[in-house]
Amino acid sequence: MTANTPAATAPDAPTAHATTAASVTVGPSAAAPAHEGKPPVHQSDAAAGATVETFPAAEASVRTRRGPVALLAPIGSLAVAIGLWYAVSYLLLAPARRFLVPPPHQVLQVAVLDWSHLQPMLQALALTAQVALAGLAIAAALGITGAVVMSRARWLERSLYPYAVILQTIPILAIVPLIGLWFGFGFTSRIVVCVLIALFPLIANTLFGLQSVDRAHHDLFTLQKASGWARLRKLELPAALPAIFTGLRTSSGLSVIGAIVGDMFFKQGAPGIGTLLDVYRSRLQSEDLFAAIILASLFGVVVFALFTFLSRLAVGSWHASGRN
């Protein structure tokens, strides 16, 4: 019989358990002293199959470098938009038709720098802002409450949600005459239009957030024999906050649109920015028309930014919507 002896292994030969994936570790011993005592953050490099550890200070420096880029992007897009505006005014339109799209400096001189033109716009915008915010507040109360009610039982959702969908699909201009007959042609009807336009996103997003809570979390509350109110207050509503604020951001822009539409159709009382838009259109006051449109758009952007800021405060860093 011949004995089988294992072959000698050279000191520099690869072992049998070696893999192609490499593991690169940048730990406290290899890092600068400034990183000592700080926990590393693991990141996976899918392309190289390596696991790389970085530090919060490095990520902070990356965010600092991205700051100017994030600031230059909107400034660059604004410059491009103004350039296109000038191109349309001077290259595409004849001088006799330039009143259709007046150049930006002409809008600035005629409508913005002239207080007699700017003052009525600001007063009208203040009234439109009151209508939009009041309508948004009512829509938020009704939408969130309705979503909570529908989330309590499947039969409630099946009974009520179709009416919310119908409310969303009805053209608002088709029911404007009914709104005027029922609520008059003043401030109240403008708020009603805002509520009807802004209601559905709040219902849909809140209901989605309430129904997306992890089942394991529900089981934990069941084990603790928590009441339905405690489950809603401590689990479902906090977990649904990102979805609720998504609905608020969407409805904030819709409420501004609803306020402007209400201004155009319900003209009793003080004029809103929508009323002035209709007046400027009929009088061919193009500079004032463009300035009023820009002011209304800026107000919508401010309201959207406000709810984005509130979302980050409420949600914090535990959800992606609070970190971006």
Side-chain angles (χ1 to χ4, degrees), residues 192-239:
V192 171
V193 172
C194 288
V195 172
L196 293 179
I197 291 180
L199 185 60
F200 182 77
L202 285 162
I203 294 177
N205 283 277
T206 303
L207 185 61
F208 172 78
L210 293 172
Q211 293 178 344
S212 300
V213 181
D214 195 302
R215 178 54 57 185
H217 296 164
H218 276 294
D219 293 340
L220 180 61
F221 272 70
T222 302
L223 289 175
Q224 297 297 325
K225 298 181 180 180
S227 63
W229 168 246
R231 187 188 300 265
L232 175 65
R233 182 172 57 90
K234 296 183 179 181
L235 174 63
E236 294 177 340
L237 284 178

Side-chain angles (χ1 to χ4, degrees), residues 23 28 38 48-49 51 67 116 121 146 166 170 196-197 215 219 241 263 268:
S23 177
K38 296 181 179 180
T51 300
S116 63
M121 293 185 199
I166 293 173
I170 293 178
L196 293 179
I197 291 180
R215 178 54 57 185
D219 293 340
L241 275 180
D263 290 339
Q268 290 183 359

Side-chain angles (χ1 to χ4, degrees), residues 8-24:
T9 303
D12 55 348
T15 59
H17 62 273
T19 61
T20 57
S23 177
V24 182

Side-chain angles (χ1 to χ4, degrees), residues 25-99:
T25 303
V26 183
S29 60
H35 297 308
E36 292 182 357
K38 296 181 179 180
V41 179
H42 295 272
Q43 296 176 346
S44 64
D45 189 351
T51 300
V52 182
E53 296 179 359
T54 58
F55 292 90
E59 293 183 354
S61 64
V62 172
R63 288 195 297 267
T64 303
R65 290 194 299 268
R66 290 177 179 174
V69 177
L71 184 62
L72 289 175
I75 295 177
S77 63
L78 177 62
V80 171
I82 293 176
L84 292 175
W85 188 351
Y86 272 110
V88 172
S89 298
Y90 286 104
L91 299 180
L92 297 182
L93 295 177
R97 295 173 55 84
R98 194 163 295 157
F99 71 94

